Amino acid sequence: MLLKQKSYDLTEGPVRKMLVLFVLPIIAGSLFQQLYTTADAAIVGRFAGKQALAAIDAVYNLIRLPTVFFTGLASAATILISQHYGAKKSEALAETAHTAVLFSFFAGLLLTLLGVLLAPACIRLLNVPEDIYPMTLRYTQIYFSGMAASMVYNIGAGIFRAVGDSKTPFVFLLIANGVNVALDFLFVAVFRWGVAGVALTTVFSQLLSAALMLSALTRTNLPCKISLNRLRIRRQSLAQILKKGLPIAVQSTLYPLANMLVQSRINPFGTDSIAAWAVCGKLDFLVWLIADAFCDAAATFVAQNYGARRYDRGRRGVKTALLMSIGVIGLLSVGLYLWNVPLAHIFVQDAGVIAISARIMAVLAPLYILSVSYTHLRAHET
């Protein structure tokens, strides 16, 4: 598949307009990525029961932990490529991109191995109830088998965004997630495979998105084109990625680590409480999606302008992204506070689960506005 690709030089043009044009495909792509997760929850909750929904959410932060760590490393590659693009250093850009793609593949294989082997011990540490332990273990091990594909897609998306093309990753997510939702319904609602069906569809969509991304990277006419015969890990490029990426990666893991501690305290309360916490996670996904999208957009904007030595423009970009993020997340917080109960009915019909989720959202919703500070901090790390 060869898309009509267009990149944006974020060192030129009106700051607000360029940020909006760049961030909208990121938001749309993240939205569809989260929508298939939400569809998973809705299909599982309705056709496999609250136990299956709880089994998946009981390890949500566990499976996120290695992913966000690597994503932090990958964001360093995106920042470096953005800087090279802004500075018009095509050879340095190519070396970093090729190193990042190959490194992501091997890192994904390592995550698969560790995830499958360590899943039983990690699930025990989370105090997952015995009645959902077998389902939780099955889901976790199948999910981790697709990590290499997931890592390749994520680094490819970062490479395209680094040169100002946020549309291509969005299109591939749209395709893969559409297939995922269709297979979810088939495997869970029709074949009744439960959590195993959800995990299998996730792995398949990861493989599809990675294949589409690799095809696009090898055929693009943008400066980030990948040649398979040039794929190798260059020591200097990898050292730069690790130097810049490790602090971001460690910082990124703090949120899922904190949530794992919270989850380990929620799990002993039983299936209803786990399911209620899962519902809250599906309701507030837009908050984190918006915050992360503006963070990524601001980081790329700053990196390109840093490479072009337009420092004042970079600072204006951070402030503009921060203000836009505050406005959008503020509106979402009000909506979640007022309408969390009818929204919860999308996922479960159990009155007890919905009552617990409503109490949780009443506390959390007014505090979401604090998350926008993350946009400002991450952008300055470039």
Side-chain angles (χ1 to χ4, degrees):
M1 178 182 294
L2 185 59
L3 298 174
K4 183 179 179 181
Q5 295 169 316
K6 180 179 180 181
S7 63
Y8 288 101
D9 186 345
L10 302 178
T11 63
E12 303 291 341
V15 172
R16 184 179 293 106
K17 178 182 178 181
M18 298 306 294
L19 275 171
V20 169
L21 289 174
F22 185 70
V23 80
L24 283 178
I26 299 178
I27 292 175
S30 298
L31 178 61
F32 277 101
Q33 192 170 28
Q34 289 295 329
L35 280 177
Y36 92 75
T37 303
T38 304
D40 283 349
I43 293 170
V44 170
R46 286 183 173 270
F47 295 102
K50 64 182 180 182
Q51 287 81 10
L53 179 62
I56 292 175
D57 198 70
V59 289
Y60 174 72
N61 288 290
L62 171 63
I63 61 179
R64 277 196 71 212
L65 184 60
T67 302
V68 298
F69 180 83
F70 178 79
T71 301
L73 289 178
S75 67
T78 302
I79 291 168
L80 289 168
I81 292 170
S82 295
Q83 291 175 351
H84 296 325
Y85 181 71
K88 313 303 180 188
K89 297 179 179 179
S90 57
E91 186 58 31
L93 188 158
E95 289 185 358
T96 304
H98 283 82
T99 297
V101 169
L102 193 58
F103 174 67
S104 68
F105 176 73
F106 287 123
L109 291 180
L110 179 61
L111 288 179
T112 292
L113 179 63
L114 293 176
V116 171
L117 292 178
L118 298 178
C122 292
I123 293 172
R124 291 296 184 191
L125 287 175
L126 288 173
N127 297 318
V128 172
E130 288 298 327
D131 63 324
I132 62 172
Y133 176 83
M135 287 190 291
T136 303
L137 178 61
R138 189 180 309 119
Y139 174 80
T140 304
Q141 291 183 323
I142 296 174
Y143 183 95
F144 271 111
S145 67
M147 292 307 297
S150 177
M151 298 301 100
V152 169
Y153 168 78
N154 284 328
I155 195 63
I159 289 172
F160 274 121
R161 289 169 185 162
V163 299
D165 177 12
S166 54
K167 179 181 176 182
T168 297
F170 161 66
V171 172
F172 293 159
L173 269 182
L174 182 61
I175 295 170
N177 293 344
V179 171
N180 184 286
V181 172
L183 290 179
D184 261 346
F185 188 81
L186 178 65
F187 291 170
V188 179
V190 179
F191 294 166
R192 302 290 180 176
W193 289 354
V195 296
V198 175
L200 286 171
T201 59
T202 300
V203 171
F204 184 86
S205 71
Q206 289 170 341
L207 291 169
L208 177 60
S209 60
L212 291 172
M213 184 59 71
L214 283 175
S215 176
L217 283 171
T218 57
R219 301 173 65 187
T220 184
N221 56 1
L222 298 179
C224 59
K225 183 174 182 177
I226 296 294
S227 299
L228 296 180
N229 60 356
R230 292 188 63 186
L231 281 175
R232 60 182 59 89
I233 295 179
R234 293 164 176 82
R235 184 178 303 176
Q236 183 177 359
S237 296
L238 181 59
Q240 290 177 331
I241 292 172
L242 294 176
K243 181 180 178 180
K244 185 176 287 290
L246 280 174
I248 301 175
V250 172
Q251 175 185 307
S252 299
T253 61
L254 296 179
Y255 179 77
L257 278 173
N259 273 303
M260 284 175 66
L261 292 175
V262 173
Q263 188 75 60
S264 69
R265 298 298 182 268
I266 292 173
N267 289 343
F269 285 102
T271 300
D272 281 7
S273 294
I274 298 173
W277 186 249
V279 169
C280 291
K282 307 312 175 190
L283 292 179
D284 69 4
F285 78 91
L286 275 175
V287 172
W288 312 115
L289 183 154
I290 296 295
D292 287 344
F294 275 104
C295 172
D296 291 342
T300 301
F301 189 94
V302 171
Q304 284 196 18
N305 283 279
Y306 181 86
R309 299 183 182 278
R310 301 196 63 181
Y311 307 125
D312 288 341
R313 180 180 171 85
R315 284 190 285 269
R316 290 202 307 274
V318 172
K319 293 177 182 177
T320 302
L322 183 63
L323 290 174
M324 289 192 291
S325 182
I326 288 173
V328 177
I329 290 177
L331 291 174
L332 289 173
S333 298
V334 172
L336 289 174
Y337 185 84
L338 296 176
W339 300 304
N340 61 79
V341 171
L343 289 172
H345 279 90
I346 297 174
F347 306 101
V348 292
Q349 302 301 311
D350 188 288
V353 171
I354 292 174
I356 296 171
S357 69
R359 292 200 297 271
I360 296 172
M361 289 305 300
V363 175
L364 293 181
L367 304 176
Y368 287 132
I369 197 70
L370 299 176
S371 67
V372 299
S373 61
Y374 184 63
T375 302
H376 190 71
L377 293 173
R378 271 282 305 276
H380 275 293
E381 288 172 358
T382 61

